[in-house]
Amino acid sequence: MKNFIFQNPTKLVFGKGEIARLNELIPQSVNLMVTFGGGSVTKNGVYDQVKAALKGRNFIEFWGIEPNPHVETLRKAIELGKSNNIDYLLAVGGGSVLDGTKLVAAGIASDEDAWDIVLKGFAERQIPFSSVLTVPATGSEMNGGAVITRAETREKFAFGGNYPHFSILDPEVTYSLSSHQIACGLADAYTHVLEQYLTTPGQSRLMDRWAEGILLSIIEIAPQIKENPHNYDLMADYMLAATLALNDFIRMGVTQDWATHQIGHELTALHGITHGHTLAIVMPGTMRVLKDQKEGKLLQYGERVFGITEGTVEERVEKAIEKTEAFYRSLGLTTRLSEEKVGNETIEIIANRFNTRGVAFGENRNVTGDVARKILHACL
Amino acid sequence: MKNFIFQNPTKLVFGKGEIARLNELIPQSVNLMVTFGGGSVTKNGVYDQVKAALKGRNFIEFWGIEPNPHVETLRKAIELGKSNNIDYLLAVGGGSVLDGTKLVAAGIASDEDAWDIVLKGFAERQIPFSSVLTVPATGSEMNGGAVITRAETREKFAFGGNYPHFSILDPEVTYSLSSHQIACGLADAYTHVLEQYLTTPGQSRLMDRWAEGILLSIIEIAPQIKENPHNYDLMADYMLAATLALNDFIRMGVTQDWATHQIGHELTALHGITHGHTLAIVMPGTMRVLKDQKEGKLLQYGERVFGITEGTVEERVEKAIEKTEAFYRSLGLTTRLSEEKVGNETIEIIANRFNTRGVAFGENRNVTGDVARKILHACL
């Protein structure tokens, strides 16, 4: 096991009706701005619940944080916050609203341009913020990371440093999600686990078991959610799984991959494919191209998650990859670039971007532009 | 899933050599007291590491926090802290030193007598404290609870509210533990998981999987640790397992039992049997007496942890209980009261104590003094 430091300060407030606690959870003395996405919360009742909980308090609202939040939009929120002396933010929405609000929290506390904060990779200062989550997927409600898009250059990068003070997760808010949103959310959570698990075996028995526990749970609930998207216990399991998939709990003392995410971010930036969906397309390709490097873990994954115990090493590895792709497809997602009309031109742009930036991802830092090209070809 | 609030603020600093970070982790401005047990840290090198890390800083030392820390001893530490205007504590030791220091932290911040704080069950105020853990077992390094003994009345009660600011866990410090200490630590961690898991099935798929993941890991490492108690990776798994077994991570949205602990505390208070050892004795009895109530979970536990799939429901339940008792015995612990020369007299004292206090423990609040008597008879 590698040495590690773990600390996750976020207070998780979980369960039906908990949005009503907002007033007690947000300090009375703060000057509050509430941030929103495009308006779905006005239709599903969440906006009304938030307004009711904050009745009698003064706050301003910022609307319009889009999916894959644009720095261009967030600069406006930062300006509004600064001009109103805002010192506390509440994000109400999905991962994009939360991620965007993390940058707003950092931007209000800084004189730097927001994109410079993203490029630096880490927010040194921020005003406090909390969240009411509406789409289980990214884990942003209980982690320090955020992914921001610069629309003018079609670039998408991550930065870190901002944990929410608290996050309210009421599974009932998921009842209004579309089946595509749920599919992408489940794919996102599943792939978050794989990014932290599918590296080298033997680093931590416990982290392996916990990662496998989330994978097994998601595989178990996914088909049931399709049949019963308003079943409270199922949606509670889904919501908690997405949070625990990316809140630092399963990465103690182990290496991590994240190459699939880096490639997926490019597909979103260039083609607007939903984040979770890009992962369903890229992950099987990453597994195929790096199957020798990941052989030990692929065998363990195949056996413990899918019960694959028969056949040669090669056959078991191939079976584990096939089962993974089949799982993503079972969610109702396509898993091939060709199905999304993405071809060689995009692959070359991504490979060149990685090579130009001189980056290399993955647990062995060997996923260069050239390896990314191979992975994307395996996804055609 | 039940509604829940989760927040664990402790910073976990894990790995070899990390004690050297003490100086950067403890704020420079504080007036520090370091608390210790009986002196084993002077023999295993931990005291020297702490002294070296804090070189050049002023601090006072309090020695002599005993196993099952006595309020009588802790009152002296509180007095010493108050008279020296101490505003930060560092506990260096096992669960008893940490638990005791939690009460010292509360006592220094309060005008109440220390035992009154314990009886109230919750410390409202405390000065900050951190820890260097030397015995993986209780989870005290990353939870808010503590168990304190009043020697003059042979009573032992828990109170809550104090999370360490940080805890340093260096697996190498475990190399000097005796095989009995390790056995009791593994039994303690294993039973902590059962207390949070062995209730009603179907509350949370994820919490079930994570609990089972810790149990499977402990079962896997226990015999290997016997052979190789100086294997770093094994001891790291053991140390992390003990922390994750009782730091709130596996109790999100689920009911809990804790009857075995309450009965075990009495055995320690009355006979001085090591805490982890009392659990190895009581847990199989709890399972036997409450097997109807816990049937669904016993079946799941038997199947997922021990691979028990054959036989009638009754046979599978019995097999799961047998396997549990066999696991405790495999650690080198006795599992019967008679083996510890404890008999009916003690059983009656415990039953009467519970009945007199009017308490009832367990997930269904039905383990009264009379049920405790049945459980203890099943442990003879």
Side-chain angles (χ1 to χ4, degrees):
Chain A
M1 203 185 300
K2 298 194 315 171
N3 284 21
F4 68 88
I5 294 177
F6 168 94
Q7 186 171 37
N8 187 326
T10 301
K11 179 184 282 197
L12 195 61
V13 182
F14 194 101
K16 51 186 149 194
E18 296 291 353
I19 294 172
R21 281 190 200 257
L22 270 177
N23 193 43
E24 70 184 74
L25 289 166
I26 299 174
Q28 292 298 326
S29 58
V30 302
N31 198 10
L32 176 68
M33 179 162 82
V34 187
T35 55
F36 300 96
S40 61
V41 291
T42 59
K43 289 168 208 142
N44 63 16
V46 173
Y47 179 66
D48 290 339
Q49 286 187 64
V50 170
K51 288 278 276 190
L54 294 177
K55 200 176 170 181
R57 292 179 71 142
N58 289 321
F59 58 91
I60 62 172
E61 301 180 6
F62 180 85
W63 287 84
I65 299 179
E66 59 277 276
N68 310 302
H70 294 176
V71 69
E72 293 86 349
T73 305
L74 303 171
R75 285 194 188 110
K76 291 179 200 159
I78 292 168
E79 207 175 310
L80 182 68
K82 282 184 171 176
S83 64
N84 284 276
N85 296 312
I86 293 300
D87 57 13
Y88 198 105
L89 299 173
L90 176 69
V92 179
S96 293
V97 176
L98 270 61
D99 278 12
T101 303
K102 288 181 182 183
L103 185 57
V104 177
I108 287 176
S110 168
D111 292 329
E112 292 172 284
D113 176 63
W115 190 245
D116 288 333
I117 296 173
V118 175
L119 290 182
K120 215 192 279 174
F122 197 83
E124 284 160 15
R125 286 181 299 279
Q126 60 262 345
I127 64 168
F129 81 103
S130 292
S131 84
V132 173
L133 182 71
T134 59
V135 188
T138 70
S140 190
E141 65 278 9
M142 203 177 179
N143 68 41
V147 188
I148 308 295
T149 296
R150 186 180 176 194
E152 56 177 330
T153 53
R154 297 205 293 178
E155 290 175 295
K156 191 176 179 190
F157 293 127
F159 81 104
N162 292 11
Y163 288 80
H165 273 209
F166 68 80
S167 286
I168 298 179
L169 278 63
D170 179 346
E172 293 190 321
V173 308
T174 65
Y175 294 168
S176 62
L177 295 177
S178 72
S179 57
H180 185 69
Q181 281 176 305
I182 293 171
C184 289
L186 288 166
D188 200 10
Y190 193 89
T191 315
H192 286 159
V193 177
L194 289 179
E195 297 274 28
Q196 299 164 88
Y197 167 75
L198 207 68
T199 57
T200 313
Q203 298 183 79
S204 166
R205 286 173 177 83
L206 276 159
M207 294 295 102
D208 281 4
R209 291 285 184 190
W210 281 18
E212 290 151 3
I214 302 176
L215 297 175
L216 287 163
S217 297
I218 293 175
I219 288 171
E220 191 175 319
I221 62 177
Q224 298 183 53
I225 286 176
K226 255 192 182 167
E227 302 297 317
N228 299 294
H230 292 191
N231 177 304
Y232 180 82
D233 283 324
L234 281 175
M235 298 315 264
D237 276 341
Y238 159 36
M239 200 166 209
L240 187 57
T243 299
L244 299 183
L246 192 53
N247 68 347
D248 315 338
F249 282 29
I250 61 166
R251 62 166 66 165
M252 296 183 202
V254 299
T255 54
Q256 299 170 58
D257 182 338
W258 297 107
T260 295
H261 265 69
Q262 295 293 343
I263 298 169
H265 288 336
E266 298 294 332
L267 291 173
T268 302
L270 294 167
H271 291 278
I273 304 171
T274 306
H275 172 61
H277 188 182
T278 68
L279 306 175
I281 294 169
V282 179
M283 179 52 85
T286 301
M287 288 174 159
R288 289 204 161 86
V289 171
L290 298 176
K291 66 181 176 183
D292 290 339
Q293 173 182 316
K294 292 177 182 293
E295 184 181 279
K297 211 56 171 283
L298 277 164
L299 291 170
Q300 179 179 319
Y301 164 66
E303 177 168 351
R304 293 193 184 170
V305 176
F306 294 115
I308 301 166
T309 54
E310 312 260 293
T312 64
V313 166
E314 203 160 86
E315 285 165 352
R316 281 181 283 152
V317 164
E318 182 53 35
K319 190 93 180 166
I321 299 172
E322 279 170 19
K323 285 273 192 186
T324 306
E325 188 166 352
F327 167 70
Y328 289 126
R329 291 196 87 82
S330 78
L331 298 174
L333 299 172
T334 63
T335 57
R336 295 291 171 160
L337 287 173
S338 50
E339 293 175 284
E340 295 303 312
K341 313 266 182 294
V342 175
N344 270 322
E345 198 186 336
T346 296
I347 294 176
E348 286 310 309
I349 293 172
I350 295 173
N352 288 335
R353 278 185 168 190
F354 281 18
N355 284 334
T356 305
R357 283 163 57 202
V359 291
F361 303 109
E363 70 272 20
N364 289 344
R365 293 270 167 273
N366 59 357
V367 181
T368 58
D370 292 341
V371 176
R373 182 187 288 114
K374 282 186 199 161
I375 290 173
L376 285 162
H377 274 284
C379 305
L380 276 170
Chain B
M1 203 185 301
K2 299 194 314 172
N3 285 20
F4 67 88
I5 294 177
F6 169 94
Q7 185 171 38
N8 187 325
T10 300
K11 179 185 283 198
L12 195 60
V13 182
F14 193 102
K16 51 185 148 193
E18 297 290 353
I19 294 173
R21 281 190 201 258
L22 269 177
N23 193 41
E24 70 186 75
L25 288 166
I26 299 174
Q28 292 298 326
S29 58
V30 301
N31 198 8
L32 177 67
M33 179 162 81
V34 187
T35 55
F36 299 96
S40 62
V41 291
T42 58
K43 290 168 208 142
N44 62 17
V46 173
Y47 179 66
D48 290 338
Q49 287 186 64
V50 170
K51 287 279 275 189
L54 295 177
K55 199 175 171 183
R57 291 179 71 140
N58 289 320
F59 58 91
I60 61 171
E61 301 181 6
F62 180 85
W63 287 84
I65 300 179
E66 59 277 275
N68 310 301
H70 295 177
V71 69
E72 293 86 349
T73 304
L74 303 171
R75 285 193 188 110
K76 292 179 201 161
I78 292 167
E79 206 175 309
L80 183 67
K82 281 183 172 175
S83 64
N84 284 275
N85 295 312
I86 294 300
D87 57 13
Y88 198 104
L89 299 173
L90 175 69
V92 179
S96 293
V97 176
L98 269 61
D99 278 12
T101 303
K102 288 180 182 184
L103 185 58
V104 177
I108 288 176
S110 169
D111 292 330
E112 292 171 285
D113 175 65
W115 191 244
D116 288 335
I117 296 174
V118 175
L119 289 182
K120 215 191 282 173
F122 196 85
E124 284 161 15
R125 287 181 299 280
Q126 59 261 348
I127 64 168
F129 81 102
S130 292
S131 83
V132 174
L133 182 70
T134 59
V135 188
T138 70
S140 190
E141 64 278 9
M142 202 178 180
N143 67 41
V147 188
I148 308 294
T149 295
R150 188 179 175 194
E152 55 177 331
T153 53
R154 296 204 295 176
E155 290 175 296
K156 192 177 179 189
F157 293 126
F159 81 104
N162 293 10
Y163 287 81
H165 273 207
F166 68 80
S167 286
I168 298 180
L169 277 63
D170 178 346
E172 293 189 320
V173 307
T174 65
Y175 294 169
S176 61
L177 296 176
S178 71
S179 57
H180 184 69
Q181 281 176 305
I182 293 171
C184 289
L186 288 165
D188 199 12
Y190 193 89
T191 314
H192 286 159
V193 176
L194 289 179
E195 297 274 29
Q196 300 164 87
Y197 167 74
L198 206 68
T199 56
T200 314
Q203 298 183 80
S204 166
R205 285 174 177 82
L206 275 159
M207 293 295 103
D208 281 4
R209 291 285 184 189
W210 280 18
E212 290 152 1
I214 302 177
L215 298 175
L216 286 163
S217 297
I218 293 175
I219 289 171
E220 192 176 318
I221 62 177
Q224 297 183 52
I225 286 175
K226 256 193 182 169
E227 301 296 316
N228 299 294
H230 292 190
N231 177 304
Y232 181 83
D233 282 324
L234 281 175
M235 298 315 266
D237 276 340
Y238 160 37
M239 200 165 208
L240 187 57
T243 300
L244 299 183
L246 193 53
N247 68 347
D248 314 339
F249 283 29
I250 61 166
R251 61 166 65 164
M252 297 183 200
V254 299
T255 54
Q256 299 171 56
D257 183 338
W258 297 107
T260 295
H261 264 69
Q262 295 293 343
I263 298 169
H265 288 336
E266 298 295 332
L267 291 174
T268 302
L270 294 167
H271 291 278
I273 304 171
T274 306
H275 172 61
H277 189 182
T278 68
L279 306 174
I281 293 169
V282 180
M283 179 52 85
T286 302
M287 288 175 158
R288 288 203 162 85
V289 171
L290 298 176
K291 66 181 176 185
D292 290 339
Q293 172 181 317
K294 292 177 183 292
E295 182 181 280
K297 211 56 172 284
L298 278 164
L299 290 170
Q300 178 179 319
Y301 164 66
E303 177 168 352
R304 293 192 184 170
V305 175
F306 295 115
I308 301 166
T309 54
E310 313 260 294
T312 65
V313 166
E314 204 161 86
E315 286 165 351
R316 281 181 283 151
V317 164
E318 183 52 34
K319 188 95 180 163
I321 298 171
E322 280 170 18
K323 285 273 192 186
T324 304
E325 188 166 352
F327 167 70
Y328 288 126
R329 292 197 86 83
S330 78
L331 297 174
L333 299 172
T334 63
T335 57
R336 295 291 171 159
L337 287 173
S338 49
E339 293 175 284
E340 296 301 314
K341 316 261 182 293
V342 175
N344 271 323
E345 197 186 334
T346 296
I347 294 176
E348 286 311 309
I349 293 172
I350 295 173
N352 288 335
R353 278 185 168 190
F354 280 18
N355 284 334
T356 306
R357 282 163 57 203
V359 290
F361 303 110
E363 70 272 21
N364 289 345
R365 294 271 167 271
N366 58 356
V367 181
T368 58
D370 293 340
V371 176
R373 182 186 288 112
K374 282 186 200 161
I375 290 173
L376 286 162
H377 274 284
C379 304
L380 276 170

